[in-house]
Amino acid sequence: MENKKELRTWLDDLQLDHPLVIAGPCSAETEEQVLKIAHELKDTDVSYFRAGIWKPRTRPGMFEGVGALGLKWLQRVKAETGMKTATEVANAAHVKLALEHDVDLLWIGARSTVSPFIVQEIADALEGTDKIVLIKNPVNPDLALWLGAVERLATANIKKLGVIHRGFSTYEKTKYRNNPEWQLAIELQSKFPDLPIINDPSHITGKRDMIFDVSQKALDLNFDGLMIETHFDPENAWSDAAQQVTPSVLVQIMKDLKIRKETDQEAEYNNALNNLRANIDVIDHQIIELLGKRMNVVDGIGTLKRQKNVSILQSKRWNEILGAMVLEGQDHGLSEEFILKMFKAIHQESINHQEKIIKK
Ligand code: PEP
Ligand code: MN
């Protein structure tokens, strides 16, 4: 797919002076619920009202959505509030029904993006559409799958494309419901700088009190918009209760976010600088996380050495590591002096860790 400025046209045409906001409940539950939320979101920054009609649940036996009936409710939302509407589609039948009911924005969910078969089926059903189509990242941290889905839809001649970053599933528990892995979103942005990218802090955090920070980070990283699950009674929502916010909280979040606009040269400079700094923050965070992981392994070795009663310092092994790292550093433009200093510091910290274990 060529990287063309036209990728942004649909977003530029909205002429917003703030990030694009898509909000509404995780699931459409009843007609009253949908309309009540929609009326509370009318006259806010929200341009697109979202509601899941078909809900892909990880385990069966939970609320799986109201189905096509909910599309009629979205039509009422549009007629009564003037907001445009958005829903998730997961197969060709959904696409057909959503188009028949004039839904304005369709998104492909994380559990669909993982399957090239289903993405192709959706792309074929949408061929040539003038609706907006957004592709959520796949549940697993695989950039190629995400890119592949973008390419399949672009090839189906869908012009109004974009992506949604909703975080990635991990085996290890983290403070997030879905780990953001910001570096993947950054990499996608650098491959397609003009493809609009929306952040979904609701599914990343899984918790409403973390939504603001993730939203701010996304804006600092130059994201174009936010999708935030909103419900008048979040606690009693039929799905994703812990992560939904009320319409008034959403309005407050939008007020508090620092939004950088590219107006003049100075602003453009600041914008570029902030963006690069946000990138550095993401990478620094990864460095610390990796060093922490390294020390966990070192501790494991310390325990083994204690059992076997062998000495901590194994200089042959250490010289091998240093030699290999100096060579690898060269490939990445890192000087020998720097590599030696850095690894000596890491080595010292490892020795300190192991000494503690052995003295125990
Ligand atoms: C949703 O948006 O409600 C949803 C099911 O999201 P995801 O595909 O990101 O899990
Ligand atoms: Mn949800």
Side-chain angles (χ1 to χ4, degrees):
M1 186 178 70
E2 286 165 70
N3 188 31
K4 299 200 220 94
K5 275 271 179 246
E6 290 91 80
L7 285 171
R8 307 194 63 75
T9 312
W10 66 267
L11 183 61
D12 295 338
D13 285 349
L14 295 174
Q15 298 196 324
L16 301 172
D17 61 354
H18 54 74
L20 174 70
V21 188
I22 305 166
C26 177
S27 304
E29 298 164 3
T30 66
E31 187 166 19
E32 295 69 40
Q33 172 247 16
V34 166
L35 285 156
K36 185 169 158 61
I37 299 168
H39 278 278
E40 289 182 23
L41 290 174
K42 193 180 170 226
D43 303 323
T44 65
D45 284 351
V46 178
S47 305
Y48 286 83
F49 180 84
R50 67 151 281 159
I53 301 293
W54 300 282
K55 298 306 298 178
R57 307 311 296 273
T58 303
R59 313 269 310 263
M62 318 248 248
F63 174 60
E64 299 211 314
V66 294
L69 174 65
L71 294 170
K72 303 250 187 278
W73 308 343
L74 287 180
Q75 284 182 306
R76 271 193 72 186
V77 167
K78 188 159 24 178
E80 292 180 23
T81 70
M83 278 186 288
K84 299 255 195 320
T85 54
T87 202
E88 173 177 350
V89 287
N91 60 39
H94 294 166
V95 169
K96 186 164 179 288
L97 283 162
L99 294 180
E100 279 168 11
H101 290 79
D102 209 28
V103 175
D104 303 287
L105 182 159
L106 311 165
W107 81 81
I108 298 180
R111 290 164 194 75
S112 301
T113 311
V114 291
S115 163
F117 287 122
I118 213 63
V119 171
Q120 192 59 50
E121 175 182 321
I122 295 171
D124 292 342
L126 280 167
E127 173 114 42
T129 187
D130 61 354
K131 302 292 186 193
I132 298 166
V133 183
L134 304 182
I135 306 151
K136 286 202 173 196
N137 66 255
V139 275
N140 53 324
D142 182 341
L143 184 62
L145 268 178
W146 203 3
L147 291 172
V150 174
E151 284 158 357
R152 283 177 200 278
L153 287 150
T155 305
N157 200 21
I158 298 159
K159 297 273 183 326
K160 300 183 183 170
L161 274 183
V163 292
I164 303 176
H165 170 230
R166 52 77 81 191
F168 302 85
S169 201
T170 49
Y171 175 68
E172 283 171 53
K173 287 273 159 278
T174 71
K175 67 173 174 169
Y176 299 101
R177 176 178 179 196
N178 291 293
N179 204 26
E181 310 279 9
W182 293 102
Q183 75 283 1
L184 283 178
I186 291 169
E187 207 176 319
L188 185 121
Q189 273 178 309
S190 69
K191 288 220 158 66
F192 300 118
D194 295 310
L195 184 67
I197 180 163
I198 312 297
N199 184 257
D200 173 348
S202 309
H203 290 88
I204 288 178
T205 63
K207 285 182 218 71
R208 56 187 140 265
D209 56 355
M210 288 168 69
I211 286 178
F212 178 83
D213 286 347
V214 167
S215 302
Q216 185 63 65
K217 172 134 203 140
L219 296 186
D220 291 344
L221 286 168
N222 259 352
F223 277 61
D224 299 288
L226 299 166
M227 182 194 249
I228 299 184
E229 288 187 339
T230 312
H231 193 296
F232 63 84
D233 184 9
E235 263 109 298
N236 291 305
W238 295 4
S239 57
D240 288 352
Q243 69 192 33
Q244 304 204 52
V245 296
T246 60
S248 60
V249 167
L250 177 77
V251 168
Q252 193 59 47
I253 288 175
M254 296 316 299
K255 254 195 214 141
D256 294 343
L257 286 171
K258 287 203 189 60
I259 298 155
R260 288 171 288 99
K261 283 179 234 150
E262 292 177 46
T263 45
D264 51 29
Q265 274 206 333
E266 178 77 0
E268 221 167 285
Y269 163 81
N270 285 331
N271 200 5
L273 188 67
N274 283 335
N275 184 227
L276 291 172
R277 285 186 171 151
N279 273 269
I280 297 264
D281 289 350
V282 169
I283 295 169
D284 283 348
H285 170 81
Q286 287 178 291
I287 293 175
I288 298 285
E289 217 171 58
L290 279 175
L291 285 173
K293 275 194 189 150
R294 190 187 196 281
M295 289 308 152
N296 287 341
V297 177
V298 163
D299 288 349
I301 295 180
T303 309
L304 278 181
K305 284 181 181 167
R306 186 178 61 178
Q307 285 161 1
K308 277 270 175 203
N309 217 354
V310 285
S311 74
I312 292 180
L313 200 64
Q314 313 260 300
S315 39
K316 183 163 169 280
R317 158 96 181 131
W318 177 238
N319 287 331
E320 279 167 12
I321 293 185
L322 270 187
M325 289 303 113
V326 167
L327 282 181
E328 210 174 314
Q330 275 170 6
D331 292 344
H332 295 274
L334 303 169
S335 72
E336 177 169 349
E337 188 197 355
F338 170 69
I339 295 286
L340 291 178
K341 266 193 203 152
M342 182 179 69
F343 273 93
K344 274 185 188 145
I346 292 175
H347 191 222
Q348 189 54 53
E349 180 71 4
S350 308
I351 290 176
N352 296 349
H353 266 246
Q354 294 194 349
E355 267 175 3
K356 256 194 220 146
I357 290 176
I358 289 186
K359 276 186 198 141
K360 245 194 228 162

